[in-house]
Amino acid sequence: MKNLLSASVFALIAAAAPAGARQLTIDDVTMLSRVSAPDVSRDGHWLVYQQRETDLSIDGGRFDLWRLDLSRKGATPEKLVAEADVNETAPLFSPDGTIVYFQSDKGGDDAVWSVPIAGGTPKRLTDFKGGMGGFRVAPTGDKLLVFADRRPGAPSLEPAMVKKDANAGNARTYDQMFVRHWASWADGTRSQIFVLPLTPEGAPGNGIAIEGGLVGDSPSKPFGGAEEVSWSPDGKTVYFALREAGRIEPLSVNLDIFAAPADGSSPPVNLTDDNDGMDNLPTVSPDGKSLAWFQMKRPGYEADRQVLMVRNLATGKVTALTQGWDRSVGSIAWAPDSRSLIVTAEDTQENPVWSVDAASGKVTRLTQAGNVSAVVPTARGIVFAMNSLTAPDDFYLLSGRKTVRLTAVNAAKLADIDMPQVTRFSFAGANNDTVWGYAVKPAGLVADAKVPVAYMVHGGPQGSSNNSWSWRWNPAVFAGAGYGLVAVDFHGSTGYGQGFTDAIRNNWGGWPLEDLQKGLKAATDKFTWLDGGNACALGASYGGYMMNWIEGQWPDRFKCIVQHDGVFDARAMAYETEELWFDEWEHGGHPYYEDPAAFEKWNPVNHVAAWKTPQLVITSEGDYRIPYTQGIAAFTALQRRDIPSRLVVFPGGSHWVLKPKESRQWYREVLGWMGKWTGKPAD
């Protein structure tokens, strides 16, 4: 196999821009189309997907359904369902490929609709009240699985009647955690699975619950979806992932895989009860003989290696198929012949497609540069969505060894934009380990010119500054604003083996900071167009923590700092965050009161006396992962020390800035702050 690590320049998906092209801006990014949720008819004839267009009047997006005829060379995408002021999402084909089922919010609550792939008038299929989260159609075409938020133990989708006390106040009351999770307060409901009969006329009624007495969220919250639920080919069994709730829920990552009869005739059976780590992404083979999923072994660790597991459904024999492969499986799909599985897994700043032989576990890489975000194996090949640092998602078809691009969704919008150049580099970091990074050079930079440095630190911390497009922290936008962006995959990053990822535990301010220090020097030594003496550092989440840590440990290196949703006080964080498993695992596996020294060792609040670098602090009131009080506390420390500082607080929101107008404001604040201290005026 080609030695991908020796490549110095990323493969760029975007086409070369014409003469007189301009730089990319956040205004461009917020208006780009976004494609996702592909499905392909069983015969490989049609591709259908959802496409989001920005609507600034609602400070958000609207979704339509598109189709592409894969049987015609040179065919172009066409709208399938695109009603104004309505969101049509999550398309899925009927078993015979003639009907597309989808989710629509027409009329208010989400419901399941259908439309012929040949075109026609959409038809509403469900009539239950109370909305839904998503759905799956049985391979037999006669049943519909719906997951929706309802009161625990709800026998059907019918919303519970809640008697209101006219004299009651509006206080929330709780007897156990979660009190709030990610960006919402707990409201007493759980995501649960219900099954309805499906006929050509529709899927009326409220269906039946199939989870028995289980209490938990399936799919998991806040990010789980239909990928956590799977039908057996005969439509008789539903496999789903669920973490049983209780007082320890905020301490547990122990999702299990359950099997339940689709008619609700008996309670679900836990298939992975022997593993106290996470089991997720249940996926049944097309021949119905095998169930695949990923498994993490260590309880309480959300970034453990995700090993591909396969269970023989007849015998119960379980095989750890990729136990010998030091990479984490990120998505799972079966090839149509059930002889191999098609997965994605990060590898050295890329996220390619791999094939795993179902018998031997042999792993074969199928794609090279780029971040693959969705995969659909078909009889004609593998349809996948892929993006890169310089291009948002488009669809491709891999057939044999040949890859064909199927769409160019944003070609017109990007036609006059000159994308930056991305170059990968490596250096000897902490522990003398090889550490990788990249530098993003502004397009059109004249010879001998130098640009100020934007040194971006990723979050997670088990994440990666990889070759992927971002709708939030977009390196190409910083390059478009005239900065040389540098990013380093410090110890703790993913895609380099589990040992490298694990190295950040009990080490938040140690090896990662050493990597960052050595990485910036390596980059400025290698790339003469970087003005190493004129640099700003910026990061969010763990990256925001690192900004606060740098303030006290590396206070003379940067002209300015941008800190977004970062940990300022580890003690307060230990009691204010919601997913306690994360914070406790990262600091040794104990609550703060049992081992305060583990938290205090890397606590930025203990080094405020050394702070001196001007800092922009950004937070959101709706961020319950790293609550906004952490940002206010950091700003208070800066102000009390008379350090130039600015605080930006987004109302509502979450751990991320997602709305287009808020994203534009975010970049105005960030680029304005950086320009003030580097002398690079914002456009």
Side-chain angles (χ1 to χ4, degrees), residues 419-468:
M419 286 292 184
Q421 177 185 353
V422 182
T423 307
R424 176 184 287 152
F425 67 97
S426 66
F427 59 94
N431 199 37
N432 206 35
D433 292 332
T434 299
V435 177
W436 288 89
Y438 60 70
V440 185
K441 182 180 181 180
L445 196 64
V446 299
D448 300 325
K450 287 182 177 289
V451 294
V453 179
Y455 198 32
M456 187 176 74
V457 180
H458 71 68
Q462 292 87 2
S464 173
S465 293
N466 59 14
N467 185 19
S468 63

Side-chain angles (χ1 to χ4, degrees), residues 610-657:
W611 286 26
K612 63 173 64 173
T613 309
Q615 183 178 146
L616 171 66
V617 180
I618 306 174
T619 188
S620 296
E621 291 177 354
D623 182 3
Y624 304 144
R625 171 58 39 84
I626 301 178
Y628 73 94
T629 49
Q630 293 274 315
I632 290 177
F635 180 66
T636 299
L638 292 158
Q639 290 279 300
R640 288 292 288 120
R641 287 192 46 74
D642 294 324
I643 300 170
S645 48
R646 182 175 174 85
L647 175 66
V648 178
V649 181
F650 288 98
S654 69
H655 199 52
W656 299 329
V657 173

Side-chain angles (χ1 to χ4, degrees), residues 377-671:
T378 77
R380 298 191 180 199
I382 300 169
V383 174
F384 61 96
M386 182 171 68
N387 59 72
S388 76
L389 279 159
T390 55
D393 273 304
D394 268 302
F395 293 112
Y396 299 79
L397 173 64
L398 173 64
S399 182
R401 293 174 177 246
K402 183 179 180 182
T403 299
V404 177
R405 184 171 181 168
L406 299 174
T407 63
V409 173
N410 287 293
K413 294 178 181 178
L414 295 173
D416 64 341
I417 292 174
D418 199 357
M419 286 292 184
Q421 177 185 353
V422 182
T423 307
R424 176 184 287 152
F425 67 97
S426 66
F427 59 94
N431 199 37
N432 206 35
D433 292 332
T434 299
V435 177
W436 288 89
Y438 60 70
V440 185
K441 182 180 181 180
L445 196 64
V446 299
D448 300 325
K450 287 182 177 289
V451 294
V453 179
Y455 198 32
M456 187 176 74
V457 180
H458 71 68
Q462 292 87 2
S464 173
S465 293
N466 59 14
N467 185 19
S468 63
W469 183 263
S470 175
W471 299 103
R472 299 186 302 276
W473 291 67
N474 190 305
V477 173
F478 285 95
Y483 293 89
L485 186 132
V486 177
V488 168
D489 268 358
F490 48 84
H491 279 81
S493 299
T494 53
Y496 305 89
Q498 195 59 43
F500 192 87
T501 300
D502 292 347
I504 198 169
R505 189 188 192 197
N506 285 321
N507 199 11
W508 269 34
W511 287 2
L513 178 60
E514 184 179 343
D515 289 342
L516 291 168
Q517 291 170 328
K518 292 179 176 179
L520 183 56
K521 183 179 187 306
T524 53
D525 286 349
K526 180 178 179 64
F527 304 108
T528 58
W529 46 271
L530 290 173
D531 184 357
N534 193 16
C536 285
L538 57 160
S541 195
Y542 172 83
Y545 158 85
M546 182 53 70
M547 297 303 102
N548 290 329
W549 188 244
I550 284 172
E551 280 277 11
Q553 305 297 317
W554 201 12
D556 298 307
R557 180 61 183 88
F558 297 101
K559 294 291 185 68
C560 71
I561 283 174
V562 177
Q563 182 255 114
H564 182 143
D565 290 346
V567 176
F568 169 73
D569 183 354
R571 179 181 184 181
M573 172 71 176
Y575 291 105
E576 291 177 350
T577 193
E578 15 79 290
E579 292 181 352
L580 299 178
W581 68 71
F582 164 75
D583 206 41
E584 293 184 8
W585 174 272
E586 292 297 307
H587 297 93
H590 301 284
Y592 180 92
Y593 56 82
E594 288 185 3
D595 190 7
F599 292 79
E600 296 299 341
K601 182 178 181 180
W602 308 114
N603 194 351
V605 74
N606 294 328
H607 304 279
V608 169
W611 286 26
K612 63 173 64 173
T613 309
Q615 183 178 146
L616 171 66
V617 180
I618 306 174
T619 188
S620 296
E621 291 177 354
D623 182 3
Y624 304 144
R625 171 58 39 84
I626 301 178
Y628 73 94
T629 49
Q630 293 274 315
I632 290 177
F635 180 66
T636 299
L638 292 158
Q639 290 279 300
R640 288 292 288 120
R641 287 192 46 74
D642 294 324
I643 300 170
S645 48
R646 182 175 174 85
L647 175 66
V648 178
V649 181
F650 288 98
S654 69
H655 199 52
W656 299 329
V657 173
L658 299 175
K659 296 181 178 181
K661 289 182 180 179
E662 290 186 349
S663 184
R664 292 180 177 188
Q665 182 182 9
W666 188 94
Y667 272 94
R668 287 196 299 270
E669 292 285 353
V670 170
L671 295 176

Side-chain angles (χ1 to χ4, degrees), residues 174-185:
Y174 300 95
D175 295 304
Q176 66 182 44
M177 301 179 291
F178 287 117
V179 169
R180 55 188 186 179
H181 196 188
W182 192 255
S184 62
W185 288 85

Side-chain angles (χ1 to χ4, degrees), residues 86-350:
V86 174
N87 289 301
E88 299 99 0
T89 58
L92 291 174
F93 274 101
S94 62
D96 65 4
T98 63
I99 300 295
V100 175
Y101 300 102
F102 62 96
Q103 193 166 332
S104 172
D105 62 2
K106 183 175 182 177
D109 287 341
D110 279 297
V112 180
W113 292 61
S114 69
V115 65
I117 186 60
T121 302
K123 177 181 180 181
R124 179 167 178 158
L125 302 178
T126 59
D127 58 9
F128 55 82
K129 308 298 182 184
M132 55 180 279
F135 72 99
R136 284 276 200 182
V137 177
T140 49
D142 61 346
K143 300 181 187 70
L144 181 68
L145 176 156
V146 169
F147 49 91
D149 287 355
R150 296 293 187 270
R151 293 285 175 182
S156 73
L157 283 158
E158 184 176 8
M161 298 296 295
V162 179
K163 186 177 181 180
K164 294 183 179 180
D165 183 350
N167 297 315
N170 57 5
R172 303 183 184 98
T173 58
Y174 300 95
D175 295 304
Q176 66 182 44
M177 301 179 291
F178 287 117
V179 169
R180 55 188 186 179
H181 196 188
W182 192 255
S184 62
W185 288 85
D187 64 359
T189 64
R190 294 282 180 175
S191 181
Q192 299 170 69
I193 299 173
F194 306 89
V195 173
L196 299 85
L198 177 62
T199 70
E201 287 70 42
N206 292 303
I208 57 170
I210 66 167
E211 294 180 21
L214 294 175
V215 178
D217 289 301
S218 185
S220 61
K221 290 185 177 180
F223 303 119
E227 72 282 356
E228 297 186 2
V229 182
S230 185
W231 280 100
S232 63
D234 62 9
K236 294 181 179 180
T237 306
V238 175
Y239 299 90
F240 60 91
L242 179 141
R243 174 180 56 219
E244 294 191 64
R247 296 188 65 84
I248 66 166
E249 188 176 16
L251 297 170
S252 172
V253 300
N254 187 20
L255 277 78
D256 281 311
I257 306 299
F258 293 84
D263 61 4
S265 58
S266 60
V269 176
N270 189 338
L271 301 181
T272 59
D273 194 36
D274 59 341
N275 179 47
D276 292 332
M278 183 186 297
D279 299 282
N280 207 345
L281 303 189
T283 311
V284 184
S285 60
D287 63 11
K289 295 180 179 180
S290 302
L291 173 70
W293 72 95
F294 78 69
Q295 180 185 91
M296 297 185 190
K297 290 296 292 183
R298 287 175 280 184
Y301 186 20
E302 67 178 9
D304 201 4
R305 184 157 65 100
Q306 298 180 178
V307 176
L308 181 64
M309 311 293 290
V310 174
R311 179 187 183 97
N312 183 310
L313 290 173
T315 67
K317 180 183 178 182
V318 175
T319 303
L321 204 58
T322 60
Q323 186 63 49
W325 184 41
D326 196 8
R327 291 294 183 267
S328 277
V329 170
S331 66
I332 302 171
W334 284 90
D337 62 6
S338 299
R339 297 173 62 182
S340 63
L341 295 103
I342 309 301
V343 305
T344 56
E346 288 183 299
D347 183 63
T348 315
Q349 296 183 304
E350 309 289 356

